Amino acid sequence: MRLHVADHPLIAHKLSVLRDESTDSARFRQLTEELVMLLAYEATRSVAVEDREVSTPVSTFTGTRLAEPRPVVVPILRAGLGMLDGMLRILPTAEVGFLGMVRDETTFEPTAYADRLPDDLSGRQIFVVDPMLATGGTLAMAIDFLLARGARDVTAVCLVSAPEGVKRIEQSYGESAHVEIYTAALDERLNEQGYIVPGLGDAGDRMYGIVD
């Protein structure tokens, strides 16, 4: 497992505005999309490509195109849905699968309530998007879903990560699969409620509001 913490002034600036409790939902969603695009640029450095012959106005040229089969972007509902547009702006030809998961606020353990994924993910590059990597339980369950369908190349894109979550993923998937994490920040720790400190609060609530 490899961890990549983005080091770019634009990423740091946009993340600082996301953290601000006064940032409203509309601005939060916009900044999330912009931040994901910057992270996706880095996370797709190893995307599979193949040669393509191109006729320019002057001559022919051997260029590059994304290889088949196409990559798959998997947002973890609901908060991951706010990251989908940013990923698809960078990977517009990617296919999209969905995983719906909810975390028990007492045990911090996740439960899956929906999945829309291809039955066979063999040979596919998978990009999982979820704003927060906290305890690592949700991401671990998502990776297990993907590995069970034949995936062996999984990249997680997260806005903010906690050391506890990173450690859990590293211990679970050290050598069994090619797993990478791209994040805008590695924060200090988790608090007693399982929230990342300093974090940015509940990303889903800040994007979409609280639905009772």
Side-chain angles (χ1 to χ4, degrees):
M1 195 282 292
R2 294 182 61 191
L3 172 68
H4 306 262
V5 181
D7 181 17
H8 193 287
L10 283 178
I11 290 177
H13 165 72
K14 293 177 187 297
L15 181 59
S16 294
V17 181
L18 278 185
R19 292 187 193 273
D20 191 334
E21 64 181 0
S22 68
T23 299
D24 62 26
S25 292
R27 182 67 170 145
F28 194 96
R29 291 192 297 269
Q30 178 187 350
L31 283 166
T32 294
E33 181 176 337
E34 295 171 2
L35 187 52
V36 170
M37 290 175 64
L38 294 171
L39 288 172
Y41 178 79
E42 295 297 325
T44 55
R45 283 187 178 275
S46 60
V47 70
V49 296
E50 60 189 15
D51 290 342
R52 176 193 177 194
E53 292 299 318
V54 177
S55 295
T56 79
V58 179
S59 67
T60 59
F61 171 75
T62 302
T64 299
R65 66 181 175 191
L66 295 184
E68 295 289 342
R70 291 178 290 170
V72 180
V73 177
V74 181
I76 298 179
L77 306 179
R78 71 176 164 144
L81 196 59
M83 301 174 67
L84 180 58
D85 285 348
M87 285 296 301
L88 292 181
R89 286 184 181 274
I90 300 298
L91 286 174
T93 61
E95 294 183 357
V96 179
F98 296 92
L99 281 173
M101 297 184 179
V102 62
R103 187 178 76 163
D104 186 290
E105 296 304 322
T106 302
T107 66
F108 307 142
E109 290 301 313
T111 302
Y113 63 85
D115 83 87
R116 292 285 294 174
L117 294 169
D119 291 334
D120 186 5
L121 292 172
S122 301
R124 309 294 292 271
Q125 287 181 292
I126 314 296
F127 295 88
V128 178
V129 292
D130 193 15
M132 316 295 285
L133 174 54
T135 66
T138 299
L139 181 56
M141 179 175 282
I143 293 172
D144 287 343
F145 268 97
L146 299 168
L147 296 184
R149 288 164 170 78
R152 289 296 178 269
D153 187 341
V154 180
T155 299
V157 179
C158 305
L159 301 182
V160 178
S161 300
E164 294 90 337
V166 171
K167 182 177 180 180
R168 178 168 179 173
I169 299 302
E170 184 175 24
Q171 291 176 339
S172 298
Y173 309 101
E175 302 295 337
S176 61
H178 181 75
V179 175
E180 293 185 303
I181 298 170
Y182 283 80
T183 186
L186 182 63
D187 277 8
E188 297 173 9
R189 58 184 174 85
L190 296 178
N191 65 14
E192 293 76 8
Q193 290 75 42
Y195 281 92
I196 300 174
V197 178
L200 46 80
D202 187 302
D205 288 349
R206 296 197 64 191
M207 284 181 193
Y208 304 118
I210 300 172
V211 180
D212 294 326

